Amino acid sequence: MAEEHVERPEETLESESVGTDAPAEVGELSDEELDRIADTAIGALQDILKYFDVGEVTIDEYEGDEGELILDITGDDLAVLIGRHGKTLDALQFLVSAITVRTIGFRYPVIVDVEGYKGRQREKLESIARSSANRAASQHRSIKLRPMTPYERRIVHIALRDDDRVETASEGEGSARHVVILPR
């Protein structure tokens, strides 16, 4: 399988001020440490949301399939938080992640979602990944997907990591970076 390195916006901050108290694995965190991470991320999100005119919101926290902390915002008029093609939501997630990394001293995956938007997008991306894998395997040729954010590319890599017919790789630079699905 091709080496999968999926960069994240948070990684650029990681080298600037990573504390030595970071656990070797995310799984080694105690409940108190996880609560501290969640409290830090929620506090940062609430501080940022004060600048948006979104009224009363609820922030639900839960653990994702890959061990990440997911903060899902619900409320009445939250389209402004998603923005065109999810760009505002991506920026909001970047800010919350950056603040959390700086505060706790190590990187922990934090996903900010608005009323399940990213969950729906994830399902679409997983479907695109599976159908592209089917095409790559049946046509015996590589399939290039559209340019994607690091988060979107990660979803595709994860969706296909157990598919023995194909392997995935990220290619390109910056905003043109995309996933290529290669037949084996």
Side-chain angles (χ1 to χ4, degrees), residues 81-82 86-94 112-114 117-118:
L81 295 180
I82 296 172
K87 296 292 186 196
T88 304
L89 184 53
D90 289 343
L92 189 60
Q93 177 174 317
F94 176 79
V112 178
D113 200 357
V114 173
Y117 173 82
K118 284 194 174 176

Side-chain angles (χ1 to χ4, degrees), residues 56-76:
E56 194 68 29
V57 299
T58 302
I59 301 172
D60 295 316
E61 67 175 274
Y62 53 95
E63 185 177 331
D65 296 339
E66 300 294 318
E68 69 275 23
L69 171 65
I70 299 175
L71 304 178
D72 192 21
I73 308 166
T74 54
D76 291 331

Side-chain angles (χ1 to χ4, degrees), residues 154-176:
R154 180 173 185 263
I155 290 170
V156 173
H157 289 302
I158 290 170
L160 298 178
R161 71 178 166 198
D162 294 328
D163 190 329
D164 294 334
R165 304 169 306 151
V166 297
E167 56 186 292
T168 61
S170 289
E171 294 180 353
E173 297 295 323
S175 62

Side-chain angles (χ1 to χ4, degrees), residues 111-127:
I111 306 297
V112 178
D113 200 357
V114 173
E115 295 182 336
Y117 173 82
K118 284 194 174 176
R120 292 187 300 277
Q121 293 305 103
R122 180 184 194 119
E123 289 172 9
K124 283 183 194 174
L125 284 169
E126 288 170 342
S127 175

Side-chain angles (χ1 to χ4, degrees), residues 2-184:
E3 182 176 315
E4 295 176 10
H5 173 74
V6 181
E7 74 285 12
R8 295 179 188 86
E10 300 91 330
E11 286 183 357
T12 57
L13 295 171
E14 192 172 28
S15 62
E16 292 178 22
S17 71
V18 174
T20 56
D21 59 345
E25 286 184 34
V26 169
E28 295 177 14
L29 295 175
S30 68
D31 287 344
E32 292 80 20
E33 290 169 316
L34 289 172
D35 286 344
R36 181 174 154 245
I37 293 167
D39 291 345
T40 300
I42 290 170
L45 182 55
Q46 288 170 331
D47 288 345
I48 294 167
L49 289 178
K50 291 175 188 172
Y51 296 96
F52 288 88
D53 186 21
V54 291
E56 194 68 29
V57 299
T58 302
I59 301 172
D60 295 316
E61 67 175 274
Y62 53 95
E63 185 177 331
D65 296 339
E66 300 294 318
E68 69 275 23
L69 171 65
I70 299 175
L71 304 178
D72 192 21
I73 308 166
T74 54
D76 291 331
D77 186 24
L78 301 179
V80 69
L81 295 180
I82 296 172
R84 185 173 169 86
H85 302 296
K87 296 292 186 196
T88 304
L89 184 53
D90 289 343
L92 189 60
Q93 177 174 317
F94 176 79
L95 287 172
V96 170
S97 294
I99 292 167
T100 304
V101 166
R102 289 286 181 150
T103 304
I104 66 174
F106 58 93
R107 199 189 86 67
Y108 187 88
V110 177
I111 306 297
V112 178
D113 200 357
V114 173
E115 295 182 336
Y117 173 82
K118 284 194 174 176
R120 292 187 300 277
Q121 293 305 103
R122 180 184 194 119
E123 289 172 9
K124 283 183 194 174
L125 284 169
E126 288 170 342
S127 175
I128 290 167
R130 285 189 299 273
S131 66
S132 297
N134 290 338
R135 274 192 14 237
S138 67
Q139 297 175 4
H140 304 291
R141 67 181 185 93
S142 62
I143 304 292
K144 288 183 182 180
L145 301 182
R146 66 169 173 78
M148 296 179 181
T149 66
Y151 175 74
E152 292 170 326
R153 291 193 306 272
R154 180 173 185 263
I155 290 170
V156 173
H157 289 302
I158 290 170
L160 298 178
R161 71 178 166 198
D162 294 328
D163 190 329
D164 294 334
R165 304 169 306 151
V166 297
E167 56 186 292
T168 61
S170 289
E171 294 180 353
E173 297 295 323
S175 62
R177 197 151 170 85
H178 59 277
V179 174
V180 178
I181 302 171
L182 307 148
R184 291 187 191 236

